[in-house]
């Protein structure tokens, strides 16, 4: 039985321990200044951040000139201009690493920022615990909404010291290189660098090399990195540019290289942990988007995935969460893409298993023609972790209602006895809780021997338009979640699956705001959300945007 990682006490700072921050940039003149300034502002000059090294990877948009202008007034900023674009992030990071002079080094991308106190928190842990690697919490900030989503939050709930990754294999799940502080001597001693050239997901390989060297690793709960997610940007970042199947091929290649690094170091426990992470995170993320891709993409994605998953052993599959291993088994069992709606919904978070629910020899299986794909663990999972499907059909009008249907799941819900359902709305940008609508569930037949429970709630849409007592000036996305209470005292939460013909924009008359603009829609994963705006100004603004497009 592994001992719990050592807990960290309060931080201390030694001024003589200095940090170099390497910022890489390519054609990002609009954001690189903010990134560099966030690095320079970390501490008073000369105390912790001794230098910021900005590597311009042969930009053509004025990025280099913007960096040179900053360097004229900031002596701690050094700018390196590459004459030829590398095609990736590894080469410029390696160049910055070679130029660094600080005892410690950090990496920062030009479109992200370091929050105040990031370096101080990481450095404190490094010095107190003589840890060559320190890692902190990162948030993905959705822009322009500024909604923060924690990255791998389970790793950063509390401060801890891990004597090695082998003793704490869950560290494999954080493949980022940017939310960490590294001792440069440690990197040099183990010849740890990034893959050169046009290598996508280079941080997978770099992180594997770091973990394979078995350093002591400290983790801190402090927010140390803000990862900006700009989905509407003209040039998508590597992590968001997933429309070409080559991106998936590159991700598989990077993951395969990471596993090989662990195995060459004799760290089979880390190789298995990486395989589990691939199934739980990478596979589910791409499956969730598969229904939005064209037929050629889906066919090639399916071929690549079957080929790669064919090398996973049963232990790796069983170590993954049930939805992920079911998805993997469907892909392995079928030579061509199939059941796109079902696998998309199952890959969502939380996952939803759509009917029909097939059985073979008393076992829950994916479908009658794939009896080898067993949906194991359905009979033993707590009801709160079952992939229950709740269909939600919106009808927006003078009386806006939501018609709900809760599907049974191999008799598990019938045994618990669903009685009532609460539908809760939360504003996406800040997770503000909106109104809660409650209804009684009524048992009904769902076709054949299956049963379901139905309910109808009336939506208070005007309550969603308030913002500090004033009407919302633009569309606000609201996510919907349901909580079902059962007769046996059990309960569970689930996202609502968007169904029916009511998924379209409606303009409704309103006595208070003149008009309400309401659009129920399905997210990429199929969950129901609402966009709501109020007032004539919002209508004109939205119409103008559509005309410009």
């Amino acid at each position: 039985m592994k001992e719990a990682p050592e807990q960290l006490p309060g931080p201390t700072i030694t001024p003589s321990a200095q940090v170099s921050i390497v910022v890489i940039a390519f054609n990002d003149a609009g954001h690189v200044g903010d990134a560099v300034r966030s690095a320079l502002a970390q501490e008073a000059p000369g105390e912790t951040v001794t230098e910021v090294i900005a590597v311009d990877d042969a930009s053509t948009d004025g990025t280099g000139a913007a960096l040179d202008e900053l360097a004229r007034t900031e002596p701690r900023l050094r700018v390196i201009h590459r004459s030829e674009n590398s095609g990736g992030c590894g080469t410029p990071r390696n160049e910055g690493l070679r130029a660094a002079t600080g005892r410690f080094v950090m990496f920062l991308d030009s479109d992200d920022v370091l929050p105040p106190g990031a370096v101080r928190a990481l450095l404190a842990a490094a010095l107190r615990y003589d840890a060559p690697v320190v890692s902190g919490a990162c948030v993905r900030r959705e822009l322009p909404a500024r909604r923060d989503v924690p990255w791998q939050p389970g790793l950063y709930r509390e401060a801890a010291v891990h004597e090695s990754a082998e003793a704490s294999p869950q560290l494999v799940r954080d493949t980022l290189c940017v939310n960490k502080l590294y001792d440069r001597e440690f990197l040099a001693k183990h010849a740890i660098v990034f893959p050169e050239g046009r290598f996508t997901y280079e941080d997978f390989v770099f992180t594997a090399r770091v973990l394979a060297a078995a350093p002591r690793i400290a983790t801190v709960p402090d927010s140390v990195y803000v990862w900006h997610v700009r989905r509407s940007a003209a040039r998508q970042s590597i992590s968001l540019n997933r429309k070409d199947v080559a991106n998936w091929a590159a991700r598989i290649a990077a993951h395969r290289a990471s596993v090989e690094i662990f195995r060459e170091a004799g760290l089979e426990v880390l190789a298995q942990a990486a395989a589990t992470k691939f199934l739980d995170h990478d596979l589910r993320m791409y499956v969730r988007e598969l229904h939005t891709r064209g037929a050629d993409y889906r066919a090639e994605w399916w071929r690549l995935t079957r080929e790669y998953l064919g090398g996973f052993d049963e232990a790796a599959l069983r170590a993954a969460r049930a939805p992920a291993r079911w998805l993997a088994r469907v892909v392995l069992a079928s030579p061509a893409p199939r059941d796109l709606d079902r696998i998309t919904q199952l890959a969502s978070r939380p996952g939803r298993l759509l009917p029909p629910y097939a059985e073979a020899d008393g076992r829950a299986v994916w479908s009658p023609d794939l009896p080898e794909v067993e949906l194991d663990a359905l009979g033993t999972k707590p009801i709160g972790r079952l992939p229950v499907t709740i269909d939600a059909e919106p009808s927006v009008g003078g009386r806006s209602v939501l018609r709900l249907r809760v599907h049974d799941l191999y008799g598990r819900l019938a045994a618990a006895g669903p009685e009532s359902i609460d539908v809760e709305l939360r504003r996406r940008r800040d997770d503000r809780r909106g109104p809660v609508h409650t209804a009684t569930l009524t048992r009904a037949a769902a076709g054949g021997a299956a049963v379901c429970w139905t309910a109808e709630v009336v939506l208070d849409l005007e309550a969603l338009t308030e913002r500090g007592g004033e009407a919302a000036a633009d569309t606000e996305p609201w996510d919907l979640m349901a909580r079902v209470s059962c007769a046996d005292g059990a309960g569970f939460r689930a996202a609502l699956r968007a169904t029916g013909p009511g998924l379209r924009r409606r303009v409704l008359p309103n006595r208070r705001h003149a008009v309400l603009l309401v659009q129920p829609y399905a997210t990429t994963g199929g969950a129901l959300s609402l966009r709501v705006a109020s007032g004539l100004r919002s209508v004109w603004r939205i119409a103008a945007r559509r005309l410009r497009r």
Side-chain angles (χ1 to χ4, degrees):
M1 186 175 186
K2 294 186 177 66
E3 295 181 0
E6 181 183 351
Q7 301 301 301
L8 287 170
T12 58
I13 289 292
T14 301
S16 61
Q18 296 180 333
V19 177
S20 298
I21 300 177
V22 174
V23 183
I24 62 169
F26 172 66
N27 283 357
D28 201 13
H31 303 123
V32 68
D34 290 338
V36 169
R37 281 186 286 269
S38 78
L40 291 168
Q42 284 299 301
E43 305 293 343
E47 288 190 358
T48 58
V49 178
T50 187
E51 62 186 357
V52 175
I53 301 170
V55 184
D56 171 28
D57 199 8
S59 298
T60 58
D61 71 336
T63 295
L67 289 170
D68 288 340
E69 182 64 27
L70 280 170
R72 289 190 184 96
T73 57
E74 178 48 69
R76 288 181 296 154
L77 174 60
R78 299 164 54 198
V79 182
I80 297 174
H81 296 282
R82 288 182 46 79
S83 59
E84 183 178 345
N85 180 255
S86 67
C89 298
T91 297
R93 285 202 185 113
N94 287 338
E95 193 152 342
L97 181 58
R98 286 192 296 270
T101 61
R103 175 180 169 187
F104 297 93
V105 65
M106 287 184 69
F107 301 102
L108 172 62
D109 290 346
S110 62
D111 53 350
D112 301 329
V113 294
L114 299 179
V119 171
R120 179 172 288 271
L122 293 169
L123 186 58
L127 297 175
R128 181 178 288 275
Y129 290 94
D130 191 24
V133 180
V134 185
S135 182
C138 167
V139 296
R140 287 167 54 95
R141 179 165 293 165
E142 300 271 355
L143 296 175
R146 294 185 65 82
R147 176 178 179 244
D148 287 351
V149 180
W151 167 256
Q152 298 293 341
L155 299 177
Y156 300 105
R157 291 196 175 97
E158 58 187 11
V161 173
H162 310 266
E163 287 304 319
S164 70
E166 190 174 23
S168 302
Q170 69 274 15
L171 294 174
V172 167
R173 290 182 172 268
D174 185 0
T175 53
L176 299 182
C177 70
V178 289
N179 60 332
K180 299 174 179 68
L181 181 80
Y182 306 94
D183 186 312
R184 279 201 313 115
E185 184 177 338
F186 161 77
L187 296 179
K189 176 182 177 181
H190 296 280
I192 297 172
V193 295
F194 293 89
E196 291 279 347
R198 196 177 297 276
F199 190 102
T200 310
Y201 300 110
E202 74 295 329
D203 46 354
F204 284 28
V205 174
F206 182 84
T207 300
R209 289 170 176 168
V210 168
L211 297 182
R216 175 184 293 125
I217 300 172
T219 54
V220 297
D222 307 71
S223 178
V224 303
Y225 198 85
V226 179
W227 175 0
H228 286 149
V229 180
R230 297 178 173 89
R231 299 189 189 278
S232 59
R235 185 172 64 90
Q236 292 284 297
S237 66
I238 289 174
S239 61
L240 293 180
N241 188 16
R242 298 194 291 265
K243 293 182 180 179
D244 192 320
V245 74
N247 178 276
W248 179 237
R251 197 176 190 102
I252 288 175
H255 183 264
R256 179 184 281 115
S258 302
V259 171
E260 289 173 356
I261 289 169
F262 294 138
R263 289 199 166 127
E264 288 173 2
L267 300 171
E268 186 60 30
V269 66
L270 296 187
Q272 288 283 6
T276 302
K277 175 262 178 187
F278 180 84
L279 296 170
D280 283 338
H281 177 72
D282 305 60
L283 180 67
R284 287 183 74 171
M285 177 169 60
Y286 282 74
V287 168
R288 197 159 53 240
E289 301 170 345
L290 198 57
H291 68 297
T292 67
R293 311 304 187 202
D296 290 344
Y297 177 106
R298 293 197 297 263
E300 179 62 7
W301 184 94
W302 203 272
R303 185 193 68 78
L304 289 168
T305 307
R306 288 189 84 220
E307 180 184 87
Y308 190 48
L309 293 181
F312 283 46
D313 58 24
E314 181 61 22
L317 291 177
R318 286 200 165 272
R321 296 183 178 94
R325 64 176 179 261
W326 299 343
L327 291 168
R329 286 169 176 158
V330 170
V331 173
L332 286 168
S334 178
R338 57 171 290 160
D339 303 334
L340 292 181
D341 193 26
R342 288 192 87 199
I343 65 173
T344 295
Q345 297 282 337
L346 186 58
S348 298
R349 296 187 185 274
R352 297 177 289 276
L353 181 61
L354 302 188
Y357 303 125
E359 293 186 69
D361 302 322
R363 300 174 298 117
V365 299
W366 181 258
S367 63
D369 63 325
L370 289 182
E372 67 271 37
V373 180
E374 182 179 357
L375 306 180
D376 55 316
L378 272 178
T380 57
K381 273 181 175 291
I383 195 169
R385 294 177 57 197
L386 291 173
V388 174
T389 295
I390 304 178
D391 290 339
E393 181 178 343
S395 177
V396 175
R399 181 176 179 270
S400 297
V401 300
L402 199 59
R403 298 183 181 91
L404 304 167
R405 179 182 294 262
V406 182
H407 292 271
D408 194 15
L409 194 60
Y410 293 98
R412 291 294 308 278
L413 270 62
E419 289 187 326
S420 65
I421 186 168
D422 296 330
V423 177
E424 176 183 298
L425 291 92
R426 286 189 178 269
R427 190 164 61 185
R428 185 176 299 168
R429 67 180 168 89
D430 57 5
D431 207 34
R432 194 198 86 180
R433 185 176 180 180
V436 177
H437 306 84
T438 302
T440 300
L441 288 167
T442 302
R443 183 170 175 140
V451 297
C452 66
W453 295 263
T454 62
E456 182 176 289
V457 298
V458 179
L459 295 173
D460 182 5
L461 296 175
E462 186 171 306
L464 305 181
T465 66
E466 302 300 319
R467 182 189 289 168
E470 299 180 358
D474 210 339
T475 54
E476 288 277 18
W478 292 79
D479 296 321
L480 289 82
M481 288 291 293
R483 176 170 177 80
V484 174
S485 298
C486 301
D488 68 352
F492 60 89
R493 288 172 56 84
L496 301 176
R497 178 194 178 209
T499 63
L503 302 175
R504 55 193 178 92
R505 182 181 285 120
R506 294 290 304 275
V507 179
L508 307 177
N510 182 266
R511 283 184 296 180
R512 182 174 182 182
H513 302 300
V515 294
L516 293 181
L517 191 64
V518 183
Q519 183 181 15
Y521 68 100
T523 65
T524 301
L528 177 66
S529 290
L530 296 173
R531 289 191 182 96
V532 182
S534 59
L536 293 172
R537 183 175 61 170
S538 295
V539 174
W540 284 115
R541 181 179 297 172
I542 293 165
R545 280 205 298 264
R546 295 190 68 181
L547 287 172
R548 285 197 296 270
R549 286 199 296 265

